[in-house]
Amino acid sequence: MRKGNILIGDHQTLNVVFKDARFNGWSIGEIFATDKQLVPNARRDNFEKNSAYFSLFEQLMTIAASIAKEIRAVSLRRNTTLSNAIDQLNATAQRATSAMDEGVYGSQKGLITKKLKEAHNAVFNSTVNGDSEQYYQDIAFAELDMLIGKLKGTTKYKALNTIDRLTNTEKKILERVIQVVDSLDIVGADMVIEAILNEFSSK
């Protein structure tokens, strides 16, 4: 606050006009006092406590309430954006998991990867306010990273996808082997494929 060329108080002086003092720290501006009855006190940390002072602070509380309302509205919009983005990611992840459980082809992987990246970007671009929102965003990213890793090792064979002990590279090699056996169109090809899967499942 200022009265003429005199600076009154500091960055915390107007904390009292906000119901939540931290909102004062989120507001930028200066108040120029022109009323002659508003007299700076000797310490210059506020005005003398007279009727003009109390009238000023009553008006400032109304202004502060309006500022706080806007801050909360912005915060709510941001929370909603993050919440909606995480919901979108979870729905996409659930659909991706269901598809992977059944086995996916190369073209399907591309589509799933695209959807997961879109969901990731939606969460990433959401504004985070505070530790709690940061926590939920970090959890969403961790789950997404795990899902993308799983997708890389997913083949079009459901039985092969369920063998957790195999690396992504091993699954890819076995997928090619099974594809070759399947393409030979020989009697007993299904039995050979089943034997291969059983061999690796039992280890």
Side-chain angles (χ1 to χ4, degrees):
M1 296 185 294
R2 289 185 180 277
K3 179 68 183 285
N5 64 349
I6 301 174
L7 177 65
I8 308 297
D10 57 23
H11 64 285
Q12 295 183 334
T13 303
L14 293 178
N15 282 0
V16 295
V17 302
F18 289 87
K19 288 185 178 180
D20 191 334
R22 64 195 172 101
F23 287 162
N24 183 35
W26 295 5
S27 310
I28 299 174
E30 289 184 309
I31 295 170
F32 292 87
T34 58
D35 192 323
K36 292 181 180 180
Q37 295 184 45
L38 288 169
V39 181
N41 64 20
R43 294 185 302 275
R44 300 297 189 261
D45 62 357
N46 215 319
F47 293 103
E48 294 290 346
K49 303 295 193 299
N50 55 27
S51 59
Y53 166 85
F54 290 113
S55 176
L56 170 64
F57 270 71
E58 185 177 336
Q59 294 177 58
L60 290 179
M61 289 177 70
T62 301
I63 295 172
S66 177
I67 293 173
K69 182 178 180 181
E70 179 61 23
I71 291 172
R72 292 187 186 281
V74 171
S75 179
L76 180 60
R77 287 198 296 272
R78 288 174 174 172
N79 290 347
T80 300
T81 301
L82 177 61
S83 178
N84 289 341
I86 290 177
D87 287 343
Q88 176 192 344
L89 189 150
N90 289 337
T92 302
Q94 187 173 6
R95 290 193 295 270
T97 300
S98 298
M100 286 188 287
D101 287 343
E102 295 301 319
V104 294
Y105 294 83
S107 58
Q108 292 175 304
K109 276 190 178 183
L111 292 174
I112 293 173
T113 300
K114 180 181 177 182
K115 291 294 184 182
L116 290 175
K117 286 183 177 179
E118 289 174 353
H120 175 278
N121 290 339
V123 174
F124 180 79
N125 291 327
S126 300
T127 302
V128 173
N129 299 311
D131 293 339
S132 60
E133 292 181 24
Q134 184 65 59
Y135 169 79
Y136 288 116
Q137 188 184 57
D138 290 343
I139 290 295
F141 286 150
E143 291 178 351
L144 186 60
D145 288 342
M146 184 173 61
L147 191 60
I148 291 175
K150 181 180 178 182
L151 178 62
K152 290 179 179 178
T154 300
T155 72
K156 66 178 184 179
Y157 299 104
K158 181 178 180 179
L160 188 56
N161 295 335
T162 60
I163 306 176
D164 295 329
R165 63 176 59 87
L166 295 178
T167 65
N168 291 346
T169 301
E170 289 170 336
K171 287 182 180 180
K172 285 296 184 183
I173 294 172
L174 280 175
E175 181 181 33
R176 294 292 298 276
V177 170
I178 294 172
Q179 284 176 333
V180 171
V181 173
D182 194 35
S183 66
L184 294 176
D185 195 25
I186 59 176
V187 176
D190 290 343
M191 293 179 61
V192 173
I193 292 173
E194 185 176 352
I196 292 172
L197 291 172
N198 288 338
E199 173 67 16
F200 286 92
S201 296
S202 59
K203 287 186 176 182

